[in-house]
Amino acid sequence: MITSVLRRVAFVLALGVAGHANAQPAPAPIMPSAVGAKVEVEVMVILAKAEPGAVDPRLASMASALKSLPFQSFTLLDQQGVRLAGGEEQALRLTDQRRLKVRLVAHDATQATVKIELMSGETEVLDTTVSVHRNKSFYLAVRGYQGGSLVVPVTVRY
Amino acid sequence: MNHPLHDQLVRVRDRLADVGEVASVRREVVAAGLLDDIPGVMEGEEAAEDAGLLLALWDETGPGSSLGEAVAWGGAAPDLSDGILSALFGDDTRLSATGGVSGAVTPAIGDAVRSAAGALPDVVASVVGVGLPVASAVGDAAGAVPEVAAAFADVPPVGDAVRDAAGAFADVADAVMASLAADDDEANAWPSAMLDHELAPADHRAAAGRLLAEPSQGAWITRSAEIGREIVSAVRAEAGAGPSVWPQVAAAIGLADPEHVPGWVDGRLAEAVRAEAGTVDVRPVVMASVRPPDLVRGEIVEEAAANHQGWGAWAAMAALAAAMLVVVLPPLITPVDDPAALVPVAQFAAVGEVNVDALSYAERASVFVEVPVDKETPLIIWVDEGGGL
């Protein structure tokens, strides 16, 4: 049963996402206004573990977001940022083996669209494109690092 | 190998393997994870009964018995003797390269096998009913067949080898239990029941609607599924595949024709084993063990049309598109080039503020997107890189 459930996980996702799609019409585009040419994409690298432990005080202001994750200890390992113009790409190092390629696809007064590629060695593990409101973040969570997971908030600032 | 006795032994071996490899921890959990990967053998309620039978068999031989562990360790091998040899030698290329065993007899190996197989006659041989002391025969075969190689003289005794190997399973099972908590509330079973098409049509539609409203439940289901897959992969990776040595074993125990066992009555073994072991339904225990504790409780009350879609297993690429309500908020900071105005910490985008336009991932990776359902939860793209990366 467990394995068959896994095979249908994407179905669950499709249900969940499609459900939102069905429930809400696509928003009308918002015209840009007073938008700079570059966007700063900031990436934090957080080691999260399920075992009880401390929350890095530098992450205190993120407590409400971290609370929703299935972890009990959080350590900020790194924080990096790159400034990208439309179409530009840079790679950020997450760990010795993992890199995050970030490309700014587009941005306007409301949101930025970024293309994210997670590389493990030379293997592209994940390739995703996300549109996120300016000055807001979304999270990557990569299982299996030093006995825990890497939680990687990606923020677009402009 | 189509001989009924051989087939029956394989079945007994395989099922013991399902139960045996986590004897020291939560074998029910691993059994549940393996049942789904034995197509055509165990399904539905029959699977639970079969698993219960194996559990009883395991208990019969003793959770710590070297027999059970040795047989379990050889779970991927094509027959019982292969299983035991696999427990001893793993994927030794000297076996696979020759298609059989070769070399001189190593008395220590024979002793080890005999020691490991010692409990088998109590459980199997007595029910075979043909005067065939299977375990002793296998043990003798291992010690007497000249082709059992001196090349294996350096392998540890059965017990040590199995115990060493079992450590990996214990780690996996520990991880399982660290990730999941027991919960025996049947009301929480509806997501799994829906995904396994075990609900009545009306309930299925209601459950689908509820999943639409509570997509975060997919995360829990996914985690459980991933753990099950990992266990299966780990078990298979560790057990490996052994060569077929049944012809040698059959010859060693005096069978002129390995495909013919005098006195064999088809089905007798299974009937006798069941009669001795009884029936144990482990499904409630298993489900209680793997069910996450914070699934939404209560009856299914929402009615919604099921948007049922098929999904290919381990697809290399999946595209997700979602259009969400845009909540136009005033800018939180002044734009661009004033570093002093940068928001000091990441404020996650809530529902309506983030959208996954496209997503693909490596074939061996697992990815799921936990979409925000309110202003208190972020969008999270969970990534499991998979063991092969």
Side-chain angles (χ1 to χ4, degrees):
Chain A
M1 173 177 291
I2 292 177
T3 306
S4 65
V5 168
L6 172 65
R7 291 168 181 160
R8 285 184 278 261
V9 163
F11 162 66
V12 177
L13 292 173
L15 278 178
V17 176
H20 287 287
N22 292 336
Q24 302 292 349
I30 297 174
M31 297 304 294
S33 62
V35 175
K38 290 198 172 184
V39 170
E40 179 174 9
V41 180
E42 180 191 275
V43 170
M44 303 174 77
V45 184
I46 299 170
L47 174 61
K49 294 187 176 182
E51 296 79 16
V55 176
D56 194 316
R58 294 171 291 178
L59 302 172
S61 58
M62 299 174 59
S64 63
L66 299 179
K67 190 170 57 178
S68 66
L69 302 176
F71 305 111
Q72 298 190 59
S73 71
F74 299 90
T75 303
L76 177 62
L77 302 180
D78 197 5
Q79 186 171 13
Q80 308 170 53
V82 293
R83 292 179 64 82
L84 300 173
E88 284 187 346
E89 177 181 293
Q90 287 198 35
L92 301 172
R93 177 181 169 278
L94 300 183
T95 67
D96 288 341
Q97 295 296 321
R98 297 180 178 91
R99 290 174 296 129
L100 204 65
K101 291 183 179 177
V102 182
R103 173 188 293 271
L104 177 64
V105 177
H107 70 293
D108 59 25
T110 301
Q111 66 180 14
T113 299
V114 291
K115 185 174 188 292
I116 301 289
E117 295 174 70
L118 174 63
M119 305 294 296
S120 180
E122 296 304 314
T123 302
E124 181 183 273
V125 178
L126 172 74
D127 182 346
T128 186
T129 302
V130 178
S131 295
V132 59
H133 274 208
R134 63 189 301 180
N135 307 313
K136 295 296 179 70
S137 62
F138 62 93
Y139 287 21
L140 297 179
V142 185
R143 296 181 56 185
Y145 180 72
Q146 293 187 357
S149 295
L150 288 175
V151 175
V152 182
V154 179
T155 307
V156 296
R157 302 188 194 280
Y158 61 102
Chain B
M1 187 66 64
N2 296 320
H3 194 283
L5 174 58
H6 173 267
D7 292 343
Q8 291 286 3
L9 289 174
V10 169
R11 292 175 63 185
V12 172
R13 186 271 329 273
D14 285 345
R15 294 170 186 181
L16 279 172
D18 291 346
V19 180
E21 53 225 4
V22 285
S24 62
V25 272
R26 299 293 293 268
R27 56 181 178 269
E28 301 95 333
V29 176
V30 167
L34 288 168
L35 293 182
D36 211 43
D37 266 70
I38 312 178
V41 177
M42 299 180 180
E43 292 181 354
E45 293 299 327
E46 183 183 356
E49 294 176 2
D50 287 345
L53 174 61
L54 293 174
L55 193 58
L57 275 173
W58 177 263
D59 290 337
E60 182 75 17
T61 60
S65 75
S66 53
L67 163 68
E69 292 179 343
V71 174
W73 185 236
D79 68 16
L80 178 61
S81 54
D82 285 359
I84 294 176
L85 289 174
S86 179
L88 280 166
F89 311 128
D91 284 330
D92 195 302
T93 55
R94 290 164 295 189
L95 277 174
S96 57
T98 61
V101 290
S102 62
V105 174
T106 302
I109 295 177
D111 292 340
V113 173
R114 274 189 289 276
S115 174
L120 188 58
D122 297 335
V123 184
V124 177
S126 64
V127 299
V128 171
V130 293
L132 183 65
V134 177
S136 296
V138 172
D140 290 344
V145 174
E147 290 79 5
V148 175
F152 305 129
D154 57 347
V155 303
V158 173
D160 291 343
V162 171
R163 274 188 289 276
D164 290 345
F169 298 127
D171 292 341
V172 174
D174 285 340
V176 170
M177 298 318 299
S179 301
L180 303 175
D183 187 340
D184 58 0
D185 188 348
E186 286 297 324
N188 291 339
W190 65 265
S192 293
M194 191 209 81
L195 294 169
D196 282 341
H197 304 284
E198 294 173 346
L199 297 178
D203 291 337
H204 186 95
R205 286 193 298 272
R210 185 170 174 180
L211 272 179
L212 286 175
E214 303 169 17
S216 60
Q217 296 222 19
W220 269 113
I221 297 172
T222 302
R223 286 170 203 149
S224 299
E226 287 174 344
I227 290 168
R229 177 176 60 84
E230 289 167 359
I231 291 174
V232 171
S233 298
V235 168
R236 287 185 167 170
E238 292 291 338
S244 175
V245 295
W246 171 248
Q248 291 92 328
V249 172
I253 62 179
L255 295 176
D257 179 3
E259 301 298 324
H260 177 68
V261 176
W264 172 256
V265 178
D266 192 24
R268 186 173 176 178
L269 172 65
E271 292 173 9
V273 170
R274 286 192 173 93
E276 180 168 336
T279 299
V280 179
D281 184 0
V282 300
R283 173 167 288 197
V285 176
V286 170
M287 291 309 300
S289 297
V290 302
R291 193 173 303 135
D294 60 348
L295 286 179
V296 177
R297 298 169 182 272
E299 299 299 320
I300 300 171
V301 294
E302 295 183 56
E303 286 286 350
N307 183 19
H308 195 115
Q309 302 174 3
W311 186 270
W314 311 114
M317 178 174 290
L320 298 178
M324 299 180 177
L325 176 66
V326 170
V327 179
V328 180
L329 298 176
L332 295 178
I333 61 172
T334 55
V336 200
D337 295 325
D338 181 4
L342 293 180
V343 178
V345 296
Q347 299 186 21
F348 62 84
V351 58
E353 298 177 331
V354 62
N355 182 44
V356 177
D357 300 320
L359 185 150
S360 63
Y361 50 95
E363 184 174 2
R364 301 193 66 170
S366 301
V367 173
F368 68 91
V369 180
E370 192 170 347
V371 298
V373 294
D374 51 35
K375 291 185 178 296
E376 304 299 323
T377 55
L379 180 140
I380 308 172
I381 301 173
W382 292 89
V383 182
D384 186 334
E385 297 174 336
L389 296 176

